[in-house]
Amino acid sequence: MRKRDAFRILGLVLLCSAFLTANALAQGNPLEGIEIPSSINPVGSGARALGMGGAFIAVCDDATAASWNPGGLIQLEKPEVSAVYGFVYRDEDNDFGDHPEASGSQSVDYSNLNYLSAAIPFQAADRNMIVSLNYQHLYDFHRDWDFNYLSDSSDVSDPWDIDYRQDGKLYALGLAYSAQISPTFSAGVTLNYWGDFLSDNQWKQKYDIRGNINLGGTQATALYQLEEEFDFSGWNANLGFLWRINETWTVGGVFKTPFTADIDHTTRTSTVISTPDFDQPPVNTAEVYGEELDMPMSYGVGIACRLSDRFTVSADVYRTHWDDFEYEDYQGRKTSPISGKPSNESDIDPTTWFRLGAEYLFIGDQFVVPVRAGVFYDPAPAEGSPDDYYGFSLGSGLAYKSFIFDIAYQYRWGNDVGEDLFRAQNFSQDVDEHTVYTSLIVHF
């Protein structure tokens, strides 16, 4: 056997050994957990709702009601179009307890079209009704980490340089309908299609792992690349009601149905080893799998108190059954996407979040200026018990004639969270997230 071939085989063997731990990092957990850095709870959209802390189930009197509570759509009296744009900055202070060289602060920022809708009210059978077409951006996958990691292999003396990038989004195209059942009660439904329409409905993960290894006394440079792509498609529905008890009190409720999404999972790898004497040609692989993801049901209730024409206070309680969140791979193995453990061994509890918000209106002759604020508890599912996230928000805007402009800021944080990302590495992180939404509504 030629020396070069021997080096190549030995290099591949050592590289596999050296990357055992690093590849565990690349997987996020032993069975490819799904990492959603943004809030994982299925909330609605809109700058007005964000400014009120997300306590909007019983308020929802604009076109974003299709995402919060379609029963509230009936409150729209004129045709309207609306658009919401969002910006997010997230800082993650990571602590790899067993590998302090990997610890440190990582940050990412991104912007996106958060919501787009057109709504038309009409009358039929002596009832007020409304239909709307809606685009809703639901989940963000953006993350950008670059850190060093010292492998436990004796053949590796220097830390690996690990560059991890994740991006993508999941969105739904919804057709909503709401009808007035009685003068004080309305109900509605939004049928959501999760698939490629305005853009790809998918998320991607890419890992570049670089380092030096010892090939029988010869130093070699190794590069391992792993890229995974998950294409997502499915259908579900939002069902909601709104009951105006009297001029002061309103109660709303929403139920978002569970569904099974089809996942086209593409995996690509590339391995390159170089020494001063030779450069190994890349060893590449590419595979595509058909898999499934069970999305859980969720439901919530809200109450709004209209203390005057100017002042409204609202509160929401919302629950998601993450214990039914399950990934089935191409071999039929069922795992928890949160912990990566087999479904029958994972201990994931449902989460319940609480939101409280208020809005005060300064009313002029031709304009209205709102002031909004809210607080919330937004737990994320985790093995054993949920991770605790908290936050507050502020918002304002301007309504003039047929135009309504809103802007809102939200700060969300969690300390000692995210252990399930790399539980074997004694991992935790502190998260600080800043979100700004702007929206424009035009009435006709």
Side-chain angles (χ1 to χ4, degrees):
M1 180 182 294
R2 292 182 302 173
K3 182 178 180 181
R4 176 173 297 187
D5 292 335
F7 269 159
R8 178 176 178 179
I9 294 172
L10 178 60
L12 288 173
V13 171
L14 292 177
L15 189 60
C16 290
S17 174
F19 280 150
L20 282 177
T21 304
N23 193 52
L25 284 173
Q27 300 301 332
N29 54 55
L31 291 173
E32 300 179 353
I34 296 175
E35 303 170 29
I36 305 179
S38 64
S39 174
I40 198 172
N41 288 315
V43 298
S45 299
R48 185 183 177 203
L50 189 77
M52 297 180 69
F56 209 60
I57 294 176
V59 179
C60 57
D61 56 0
D62 59 32
T64 63
S67 63
W68 289 98
N69 171 13
L73 275 173
I74 201 67
Q75 299 178 93
L76 278 67
E77 298 178 353
K78 297 180 179 180
E80 71 172 52
V81 295
S82 64
V84 182
Y85 199 79
F87 171 82
V88 177
Y89 173 84
R90 182 185 305 108
D91 182 81
E92 298 172 293
D93 187 6
N94 298 330
D95 181 11
F96 289 82
D98 295 337
H99 286 268
E101 73 279 359
S103 300
S105 181
Q106 309 282 345
S107 63
V108 66
D109 63 83
Y110 53 92
S111 59
N112 55 60
L113 177 65
N114 177 262
Y115 199 78
L116 189 66
S117 71
I120 302 176
F122 62 96
Q123 285 192 333
D126 296 325
R127 304 282 185 181
N128 292 324
M129 302 181 184
I130 187 170
V131 293
S132 69
L133 185 63
N134 316 272
Y135 162 90
Q136 183 189 359
H137 182 116
L138 285 126
Y139 297 115
D140 280 305
F141 290 84
H142 291 81
R143 178 173 272 151
D144 189 351
W145 289 1
D146 188 359
F147 59 94
N148 294 323
Y149 188 91
L150 183 59
S151 171
D152 296 327
S153 171
S154 60
D155 297 298
V156 179
S157 58
D158 301 320
W160 295 102
D161 178 18
I162 301 179
D163 184 10
Y164 167 52
R165 297 178 185 274
Q166 179 176 271
D167 58 40
K169 62 186 177 183
L170 295 184
Y171 66 88
L173 184 68
L175 179 63
Y177 166 80
S178 181
Q180 184 182 46
I181 308 303
S182 74
T184 60
F185 188 87
S186 63
V189 59
T190 304
L191 181 62
N192 298 306
Y193 168 64
W194 305 65
D196 297 345
F197 185 71
L198 295 181
S199 61
D200 292 335
N201 220 334
Q202 64 175 212
W203 72 94
K204 298 179 180 180
Q205 300 173 167
K206 184 176 182 180
Y207 311 82
D208 290 343
I209 305 177
R210 297 176 176 85
N212 298 318
I213 57 177
N214 184 359
L215 299 181
T218 300
Q219 284 296 112
T221 300
L223 170 62
Y224 173 71
Q225 294 178 310
L226 168 65
E227 183 174 349
E228 295 187 281
E229 183 177 295
F230 301 83
D231 291 286
F232 184 101
S233 62
W235 295 81
N236 88 311
N238 306 339
L239 310 173
F241 74 89
L242 194 72
W243 178 28
R244 187 175 297 278
I245 300 173
N246 52 43
E247 291 297 321
T248 302
W249 296 96
T250 302
V251 174
V254 64
F255 175 77
K256 299 186 178 182
T257 62
F259 66 103
T260 298
D262 294 324
I263 305 292
D264 290 333
H265 179 192
T266 303
T267 300
R268 304 179 184 91
T269 66
S270 177
T271 305
V272 178
I273 298 176
S274 300
T275 74
D277 297 327
F278 74 94
D279 292 329
Q280 173 213 315
V283 178
N284 300 320
T285 67
E287 298 174 296
V288 180
Y289 308 110
E291 301 175 335
E292 292 184 344
L293 178 63
D294 289 337
M295 299 294 288
M297 69 176 176
S298 61
Y299 46 85
V301 294
I303 186 168
C305 179
R306 190 180 184 188
L307 299 173
S308 70
D309 290 341
R310 297 173 180 263
F311 189 38
T312 300
V313 178
S314 60
D316 286 1
V317 178
Y318 197 92
R319 187 170 177 84
T320 304
H321 285 257
W322 293 113
D323 48 331
D324 296 328
F325 190 34
E326 184 176 75
Y327 197 97
E328 182 174 352
D329 68 13
Y330 70 100
Q331 294 179 323
R333 296 178 300 182
K334 297 182 179 181
T335 60
S336 165
I338 304 300
S339 67
K341 294 182 177 181
S343 296
N344 58 359
E345 298 177 11
S346 185
D347 180 19
I348 304 293
D349 294 328
T351 60
T352 303
W353 59 244
F354 304 92
R355 296 174 181 264
L356 178 67
E359 176 184 68
Y360 186 85
L361 305 178
F362 292 92
I363 302 175
D365 292 337
Q366 295 185 344
F367 62 88
V368 176
V369 176
V371 175
R372 305 179 181 111
V375 294
F376 58 87
Y377 170 59
D378 182 35
E383 182 74 14
S385 61
D387 286 337
D388 293 327
Y389 285 85
Y390 304 89
F392 69 85
S393 60
L394 300 170
S396 187
L398 175 66
Y400 176 74
K401 295 184 178 180
S402 298
F403 299 90
I404 300 175
F405 172 78
D406 290 312
I407 186 169
Y409 165 78
Q410 174 186 278
Y411 174 53
R412 175 178 175 265
W413 74 91
N415 295 326
D416 295 325
V417 298
E419 291 183 5
D420 286 327
L421 289 177
F422 312 114
R423 186 170 290 274
Q425 312 304 321
N426 194 20
F427 176 86
S428 68
Q429 61 178 186
D430 295 338
V431 177
D432 293 284
E433 184 180 86
H434 306 267
T435 302
V436 176
Y437 278 2
T438 59
S439 68
L440 178 64
I441 299 174
V442 181
H443 294 124
F444 296 95

